[in-house]
Amino acid sequence: MAYDLENMLVVGVASSALFDLSDADTVFRDHGEAQYREYQEAHIADALEPGVAFPFIKRLLSLNDLSPDSKPLVEVIVLSRNDPETGLRVMRSVAHHDLPISRAIFMQGRSPYEYMGALNMSLFLSQNEQDVRVALGMGFAAGQVLGLPAADPNGRDLRIAFDFDGVLADDSSERVMQADGLPAFHAHETEHLEEPLPEGTLSEFLRGINRIQDIEEALAEAEPSYNRRVHVAIVTARNAPSHERVVKTLKSWGVRVNDAFFLGGIEKARVLRVLKPHIFFDDQLGHLQGAADEIPSVHVPFGVINEAKV
């Protein structure tokens, strides 16, 4: 019987997002593919250190123990530009770190993001900006990891934070903001308060997270002392009166978050350092740079904010 991905939360992760490949990448850039292959073969027994996305992926996979029927809730698949031979070090590192990842696609010099649809993926994480942009252009949810490899203190909880416009929602309201300014933006959002925004690239990923949270809600109902492990927050530059459309839009989509921070121009890094998400998604680099070396960050280069860089 075929392994069914249809009801799982499936995430694709490039080896560059999962592990710290900086030394190997330096060899590749400075000396070319042949020496890179020799370097990877010589170091095949040396486990790669965790990369930016490692804590998020590790904790996401740990949620499989919530499954009521032992069928995995989460599947993570490595998508790599390595060929199968040089990819051996990646998979040995997966085993070294006890990550329950057994599936991978290795395509020499090419990114396998085009297989996301076939594998029911709702998210692709990579350090390669061009791969992420192309994947987004094909309609897939993708983001570029930024900053230093993240520390992973003890604990079992998973904290995920999203920007709203251009990430969970499309950028139609952001276009009003960029074209006409803040007063016009607030007026537009008030006028269209009852009109849900179109869904953005990461809305399906949030739905998958919500399905896992539904299981936790049932556990908490059965046992009030149960400590919920998954927490989702929105951290957005919106503030009143444009905040209300966010709440109504999420409700209309049938999704939810636990917390919302409507910051109205306050630097997001101030909140993120307290919230300490295991991953934070934003479409604006300026909102990520302030905390990227402390908070595992993902740039979603989607929409009007990022069009000039295409």
Side-chain angles (χ1 to χ4, degrees):
M1 184 175 179
Y3 189 71
D4 185 10
L5 297 171
E6 291 307 311
N7 296 313
M8 291 187 197
L9 175 60
V10 185
V11 173
V13 61
S15 51
S16 62
L18 186 59
F19 295 116
D20 180 4
L21 294 173
S22 54
D23 289 347
D25 285 345
T26 297
V27 173
F28 183 85
R29 289 194 305 270
D30 293 349
H31 304 289
E33 183 176 351
Q35 288 198 32
Y36 168 78
R37 294 172 66 86
E38 292 177 5
Y39 176 87
Q40 292 291 62
E41 185 175 353
H43 291 82
I44 193 169
D46 299 334
L48 294 162
E49 293 298 315
V52 177
F54 185 98
F56 163 68
I57 293 296
K58 178 182 177 182
R59 290 174 184 244
L60 186 66
L61 284 166
S62 75
L63 299 175
N64 279 327
D65 66 11
L66 294 172
S67 175
D69 58 7
S70 299
K71 181 179 179 181
L73 304 171
V74 177
E75 177 73 29
V76 173
I77 302 175
V78 173
L79 302 180
S80 177
R81 284 174 166 267
N82 283 288
D83 64 18
E85 186 176 334
T86 57
L88 289 176
R89 188 183 181 197
V90 173
M91 297 309 289
R92 287 196 182 188
S93 297
V94 165
H96 171 84
H97 291 286
D98 294 321
L99 292 176
I101 298 174
S102 63
R103 294 172 173 83
I105 298 177
F106 294 104
M107 297 179 66
Q108 184 177 9
R110 295 170 292 152
S111 177
Y113 51 75
E114 61 188 22
Y115 291 92
M116 286 182 63
L119 297 172
N120 197 41
M121 290 182 182
S122 60
L123 179 64
F124 168 52
L125 297 176
S126 176
Q127 199 173 51
N128 187 303
E129 179 183 5
Q130 185 59 30
D131 284 350
V132 167
R133 286 183 175 274
V134 174
L136 284 169
M138 295 174 67
F140 297 127
Q144 180 190 12
V145 299
L146 300 174
L148 299 175
D152 187 19
N154 293 329
R156 301 179 70 211
D157 61 326
L158 173 62
R159 298 181 298 278
I160 304 172
F162 299 94
D163 183 26
F164 184 70
D165 296 281
V167 176
L168 292 177
D170 76 351
D171 70 330
S172 53
S173 292
E174 184 64 42
R175 288 182 181 274
V176 175
M177 173 70 177
Q178 295 302 315
D180 301 319
L182 184 60
F185 167 77
H186 282 306
H188 177 272
E189 295 306 282
T190 301
E191 181 181 351
H192 295 84
L193 181 62
E194 301 300 331
E195 180 184 332
L197 281 157
E199 295 189 29
T201 59
L202 267 67
S203 60
E204 278 303 313
F205 174 67
L206 176 57
R207 274 197 183 84
I209 293 296
N210 281 173
R211 288 196 298 270
I212 297 173
Q213 290 183 298
D214 289 341
I215 295 172
E216 290 210 285
E217 289 302 318
L219 292 172
E221 185 174 340
E223 178 50 66
S225 64
Y226 176 78
N227 185 27
R228 295 172 180 84
R229 289 158 58 185
V230 185
H231 306 272
V232 180
I234 284 178
V235 182
T236 174
R238 284 179 180 248
N239 61 335
S242 65
H243 73 296
E244 192 169 343
R245 195 178 184 196
V246 173
V247 177
K248 288 180 175 292
T249 292
L250 293 175
K251 184 177 181 179
S252 75
W253 293 349
V255 299
R256 65 189 185 279
V257 298
N258 302 104
D259 309 301
F261 299 84
F262 298 106
L263 298 181
I266 296 172
E267 184 185 15
K268 292 184 180 182
R270 290 175 174 267
V271 167
L272 293 170
R273 291 190 184 100
V274 180
L275 185 63
K276 292 182 174 62
H278 296 99
I279 200 159
F280 171 55
F281 299 90
D282 202 303
D283 66 323
Q284 297 192 42
L285 277 173
H287 292 162
L288 295 168
Q289 290 167 340
D293 288 347
E294 300 174 57
I295 304 299
S297 299
V298 178
H299 180 220
V300 181
F302 172 82
V304 63
I305 291 293
N306 297 283
E307 285 177 352
K309 297 182 180 181
V310 174

